[in-house]
Amino acid sequence: MSTVAIIDYGMGNLHSVAKAIEHVAPALRVEVTADAARVAAADRVVFPGQGTMPDCMRELDSRGLRPAVLDAAASKPFLGICIGQQMLFRHSDEGDVPGLGIFAGNVARFSGEMFDAADVRLKVPHMGWNKVWQRQPHPLWEGIPDGDRFYFVHSYCVCPATSSMTAAETNHGVRFTSAVGQANIFAVQFHPEKSARAGLRLLSNFIRWTP
């Protein structure tokens, strides 16, 4: 039986992610695990996260999971979610900490002075439903209309060093990268496990994806 490992480093809505994947792929074994050996043995890996970047990086290292994440990101279908996306980059302005350095680029905070098209001031954190505009074709977008809505909760966003990595953008006063894709890695700022039909379809696509 194929296995999906959801990496547990003490930060994130892990069981909601697990339940969503179990819903779209009932024939798979879904494991929430902090065991590096179980991550290495899995066929697919999901790397979620919630909280602050310094806390997430500290917990990842304190549990000895950095090598397991790096190995999985280099060798098998890999999905990053929320801070699990941000941690893939070189550096974050949140706490001025280095990330895993898998992707070139940094993580920056939204400006405190942002306005929508009607000149209404936008809040930070960016919280709630927003449209995701696909910027490159990808198997994980299959069956998801361009501009479909996903659920966000964040104050920081990734800034890839090259635009070719950007798989989607979203507008919250400014356009920001809301998904990245490269080789066997796909990572999103939004929460597919909280995004109803569109989120479940993305997770289903991930389960079927053979990069």
Side-chain angles (χ1 to χ4, degrees):
M1 179 183 291
S2 294
T3 302
V4 180
I6 300 172
I7 298 176
D8 178 9
Y9 55 99
M11 308 289 292
N13 195 15
L14 307 177
H15 293 286
S16 292
V17 176
K19 291 298 183 184
I21 295 175
E22 289 170 354
H23 178 76
V24 300
L28 297 187
R29 179 184 297 116
V30 180
E31 297 182 347
V32 176
T33 181
D35 184 341
R38 297 306 306 155
V39 175
D43 300 288
R44 299 172 185 276
V45 170
V46 179
F47 185 44
Q50 287 181 319
T52 69
M53 186 78 162
D55 288 344
C56 288
M57 292 303 303
R58 182 175 59 251
E59 289 299 317
L60 186 74
D61 284 332
S62 71
R63 295 165 193 248
L65 285 168
R66 181 188 289 249
V69 173
L70 293 174
D71 288 347
S75 62
K76 58 190 68 181
F78 186 100
L79 176 63
I81 297 174
C82 195
I83 287 185
Q85 180 202 47
Q86 297 178 11
M87 293 169 73
L88 303 179
F89 284 78
R90 287 180 180 169
H91 181 268
S92 176
D93 292 347
E94 185 177 24
D96 190 25
V97 296
L100 293 169
I102 295 170
F103 290 151
N106 70 300
V107 181
R109 195 179 194 280
F110 284 119
S111 165
E113 296 289 334
M114 297 187 301
F115 299 86
D116 66 13
D119 206 32
V120 175
R121 185 170 179 174
L122 298 171
K123 294 180 180 180
V124 177
H126 171 213
M127 183 181 299
W129 295 85
N130 206 338
K131 293 181 179 180
V132 171
W133 300 102
Q134 300 165 23
R135 296 305 185 218
Q136 61 170 281
H138 195 282
L140 267 68
W141 296 137
E142 181 182 348
I144 300 174
D146 193 19
D148 216 341
R149 296 169 71 86
F150 290 81
Y151 190 80
F152 291 83
V153 183
H154 64 121
S155 299
Y156 291 77
C157 58
V158 301
C159 305
T162 58
S163 60
S164 62
M165 189 186 306
T166 297
E169 292 181 323
T170 295
N171 195 311
H172 186 64
V174 296
R175 286 192 307 171
F176 68 92
T177 295
S178 52
V180 293
Q182 184 171 286
N184 60 300
I185 302 174
F186 197 82
V188 298
Q189 183 60 65
F190 51 82
H191 288 270
E193 77 280 6
K194 297 180 181 179
S195 296
R197 180 201 55 78
L200 291 176
R201 182 58 191 258
L202 188 142
L203 292 173
S204 178
N205 290 342
F206 172 69
I207 295 304
R208 299 195 308 271
W209 182 34
T210 305

